[in-house]
Amino acid sequence: MFKIFKYSFFDLMRSRWSLIYAAFYFLFTIGLLWLSNDLSKVVISLMNVILILCPLIATMFGVMYYYNSREFVELLLAQPIRRSAIFWGQYFGLAASLSLSLVIGLGVPFAMYGIFQSAEIFNFSILILNGILLSFIFSGVAFFIALRNEQKIRGFGLAIVAWLFFAVIYDGLLLLALMYFRDYPLERLAIGASLFNPIDLSRILILLKLDISALMGYTGAVFQKFMGTGIGMFLSLSVLLLWIVVPGWAIRWVADRKDF
Amino acid sequence: MIQIQNLHKSFGPLQVLKGVNLDFPATASGASGITAILGPNGSGKTTLIKCILGMVIPSEGEIFVKDQRVKGNWSYRHNIGYLPQIARFPENLSVQELLDFIQDLRGTGGQPEPLIQRFGLEPFLTKRLGHLSGGTRQKVNLVLAFMYDCPLLILDEPTAGLDPVALIQLKALLKEEKAKGKHILITTHIMDFVEDMADEIVFLLEGNIHFRGRPDFLKKQYQSRKLENAIACLLQKMPAPSGGGVAILED
Amino acid sequence: MFIRQRSNKAFLLMLLTLLSLRSYAEGGIIEVCSTCPIQSIKTAIEQADEGDEIRIHSGTYREGTIVVNKSLVLTGLDYPILDGEGAYEILTVTAANVTIQGLHLHNTGNSYLEDRAALRIKRQKNFTIRNNRLTNTFFGIYLEKAGNGIVEGNQIIGLAENEMSSGNAIHAWHCRKIAVKNNLVIGHRDGIYFEFVDSSQVIDNRSERNLRYGLHFMFSNYDSYSCNEFWDNGAGVAVMFSKFIEMTENLFIQNWGRSSYGLLLKEIYDATILDNQFLENTIGINIEGSTRINYLGNRFVRNGWAVKMAGGCLNNNFHQNNFIANTLDLVVSSKINNNSFDGNYWSEYSGYDLNYDGIGDVPYRPVKLFAYILDQTPESIVLLRSLFIDLLNFSEKVSPVFTPADVLDHQPKIDILP
């Protein structure tokens, strides 16, 4: 798997798209740092962008990369290696290259700005960590979708729908549910539902740092326990990791049973 | 070398292979070196090949390559060199990097240099694969397929996109490989190539083996000088002369 | 040079004369220690004349309640411990002109009946309570109908566990002209409590981890507090039913909790809130039924709600404040609004300034739809900063339906105010 990973990673890192992706983050961050004199405001703006863009780009690139490399995969499949090694290698290669673009695009401007001497360094690293986790999760989901759908158009469509679902629709439905059932105790539902959406999860992970003052204003005991202690951080991180493990396992399951 | 027993494969409602039995003996004696797998579009050629390669999982039946079961196994593929139909590679790797990559995967023993010389690929080694022409990519493809000394070669449309010079070199190469006692399975639409190269034809029709035998036998059977015509007759006059669903004709 | 030396000498001479006069006027010194002729503070007070100084050497004194009924100076040397043994009020001052300094008052025990305090000034003027340590006391310093006094440099550290069974560190009731300066008050119900206290000042204190309020005004008028620090209290400061309170240059920080405020204003009139900092509080300022309040030059940074305004608030004017990275800048509950929010800096403002006058060309709308959703369904806090909520907020911003249309900053500042 590591060999495939290595070559996928090098292949992708040299692609124009990785460069454009990194350049976008770079310019965006530079712009924000330049326009805004408040570092925490920059972190919040970047959070919004990362929560939307990382999943979107990972989903799109994941599907695209799968379909583009399908013929080459046939060659690889005929080599004496495991199937899962091929797809895991490609998946991790893609996710790692996206993550590297993110880290460079965000990290260089912040390093130039002097984040390492700043108190914001912790928030910044949480931000980067979330971006990386989201890149992994959504390229995994994209690979899974593409593996399940040989038709490109269908695969792309489903991937976009998946992104849209996690980025917007899910929260809309959750809000509707919360408002509709507001006479009932809902805090378990609210927290539980967030665990099933990786975007919500990483958002909450960032909120725990940025908006803890507001979060502490909520009265529920479960909430207090979740937000106020390390439990929230720990649980969010572990569920996010689960979001990498499960699609990864699903990729293997589908790949092992698929005809190419 | 290869035993295929009662191979069935269906994709959804579509039955592609309906009980194929094929046996390529392990020794070169009496067995033919180059087997052309022919058949009209959709007859199951590619599916059959992919079953042998483990890319398609049979619905029923068993395949053995060098007495190793194909199902759930991957190490048997050390014995196979494969040339896929479409030559597309990671666009941002150079030719040399791709060769290194495959050798990295398969381990030591690969000998790309003679093949690179043979196909004149030296000037392209540092070029990115995304910048190569189709013909050049096919040559790279050939290098990848032949650079290991595998007892079994599976070539899917090997002539696609090759210029006449490269084609002649390919034919020479195939003859050399055959002389080394290798089994070579080829699918192709170019009947001249089959006539030139094949020692044996396996003709698939609607998921069954319709004909298996030497090409000159087939020509004799239909009294045609060209294999192309004989094949055309074979298609038109079905069911086959002997009357069965599967006709195995030997001379 | 010569003149300066001369004047220095003159000054010294004057000082010496004054000091000698003072010691002459205030009389003698009585020493109390375990090896002294007088070993009890009570005895010393009995034997002392008005104006005497009683010097209490280090040691532990268990004498129940000591009543200071003469104008005396009680000075502790190396913090002698006066132990209430969990059963007694320790010092009760029933005379004017009393100074108490350098003592360590310890362990009064709780009494709900008598509001037991470590040190009580009872209906007296001209007192000075300076540099004492109070530990494990129910009420710390209790000023009862006192005036013209100073409470300065004391450390009052309690272990309050719940509001019902705890007292206030510095408690003033019906007082005038007192100054509370430079004290450290920790772990009580209220850090500093003023009820019917007028014309008084609270300066340079630090109040932290008190269960209810760091500083609490009830029915008190014409007071001011400045340069204090309120950290992690139930609420930083509560000002209730009071008039003409000035609040300047205080720091309200990390007052977190279910109903936790940096500053709570309830039924107050004519106050000025100037140059304070509100950092990371659940609610920066919570305002109920308050009128004619000016908020100038304050900084609100990373609060949950920077300002939450309930009904019945008239003429609250916010000018030249900085609102930076708060979760929500403003919530206004009432539909009628005659408060003004012009000329502040809002870090969420995304408008433009084409004529470069430092003022945004489009008004800023500080109240968001999400604030209302949150009010209705508190659980929806998990959706904070999500794309969906941003979309909702945006559409509401474009055409306000639920949020009051007239709560606007017409002159939002482009740059952070100094």
Side-chain angles (χ1 to χ4, degrees), chain C residues 81-113:
Chain C
I81 296 170
L82 276 62
D83 190 346
E85 298 173 80
Y88 301 104
E89 184 159 298
I90 300 169
L91 283 172
T92 307
V93 175
T94 57
N97 303 315
V98 169
T99 297
I100 292 173
Q101 55 194 7
L103 300 179
H104 184 168
L105 308 180
H106 177 68
N107 196 18
T108 57
N110 293 1
S111 166
Y112 309 105
L113 287 175

Side-chain angles (χ1 to χ4, degrees), chain A residues 3-8 10-16 65 67-69 71-83 86 152 255-260, chain B residues 9-11 50 53-58 74-75 77-78 80 82 84-94 97-98 100-102 104-106 128 141 144:
Chain A
K3 293 168 183 169
I4 307 262
F5 164 79
K6 202 170 67 183
Y7 282 89
S8 287
F10 283 132
D11 175 37
L12 282 162
M13 273 326 289
R14 276 187 238 162
S15 94
R16 195 166 61 242
Y65 186 57
Y67 289 129
N68 268 345
S69 61
E71 288 88 5
F72 184 59
V73 164
E74 287 197 5
L75 178 70
L76 292 178
L77 283 165
Q79 308 302 323
I81 41 170
R82 269 176 224 284
R83 281 185 170 192
I86 298 170
K152 272 190 193 183
D256 279 349
R257 280 156 188 76
K258 188 177 157 66
D259 298 320
F260 289 90
Chain B
K9 178 65 194 178
S10 38
F11 296 104
K50 286 185 170 178
L53 288 164
M55 287 156 69
V56 168
I57 297 158
W74 51 269
S75 57
R77 292 199 281 264
H78 277 293
I80 303 176
Y82 172 59
Q85 193 170 2
I86 305 168
R88 280 194 58 185
F89 307 110
E91 296 189 347
N92 301 297
L93 294 183
S94 70
E97 281 169 328
L98 178 67
D100 294 345
F101 173 28
I102 299 297
D104 201 6
L105 284 179
R106 290 194 76 138
R128 286 191 181 193
N141 210 6
L144 292 177

Side-chain angles (χ1 to χ4, degrees), chain A residues 5-6 72 80 101 104 129 157 235 254:
Chain A
F5 164 79
K6 202 170 67 183
F72 184 59
S101 294
I104 291 173
L129 177 71
L235 201 63
V254 175

Side-chain angles (χ1 to χ4, degrees), chain C residues 175-311:
Chain C
C175 296
R176 274 176 60 81
K177 292 189 181 171
I178 57 172
V180 179
K181 285 183 188 171
N182 202 18
N183 301 284
L184 174 67
V185 290
I186 296 176
H188 287 75
R189 183 172 61 194
D190 289 346
I192 300 166
Y193 179 82
F194 276 21
E195 189 175 349
F196 302 109
V197 174
D198 294 343
S199 311
S200 297
Q201 294 170 330
V202 179
I203 300 168
D204 282 332
N205 301 285
R206 182 177 164 93
S207 180
E208 64 181 64
R209 284 173 279 153
N210 295 294
L211 295 177
R212 198 168 62 181
Y213 304 124
L215 168 62
H216 190 179
F217 290 92
M218 293 289 274
F219 312 106
S220 298
N221 305 322
Y222 304 100
D223 298 316
S224 74
Y225 65 96
S226 51
C227 305
N228 302 286
E229 198 170 309
F230 303 99
W231 183 73
D232 192 20
N233 299 290
V237 175
V239 184
M240 299 173 169
F241 310 101
S242 301
K243 293 173 190 165
F244 298 101
I245 307 286
E246 278 185 24
M247 322 176 196
T248 40
E249 289 184 57
N250 301 288
L251 178 64
F252 304 80
I253 184 165
Q254 284 183 358
N255 296 291
W256 281 352
R258 302 167 189 204
S259 57
S260 206
Y261 323 105
L263 172 57
L264 169 66
L265 305 179
K266 194 169 185 174
E267 301 288 334
I268 74 163
Y269 296 88
D270 302 293
T272 307
I273 299 172
L274 189 70
D275 295 338
N276 299 284
Q277 298 213 47
F278 298 85
L279 305 182
E280 296 175 21
N281 303 289
T282 295
I283 299 172
I285 306 184
N286 192 64
I287 309 162
E288 294 171 27
S290 296
T291 299
R292 292 188 300 276
I293 319 283
N294 290 318
Y295 308 78
L296 287 170
N298 302 290
R299 276 169 70 92
F300 300 86
V301 181
R302 285 196 186 178
N303 300 286
W305 290 256
V307 175
K308 210 169 185 177
M309 199 182 263

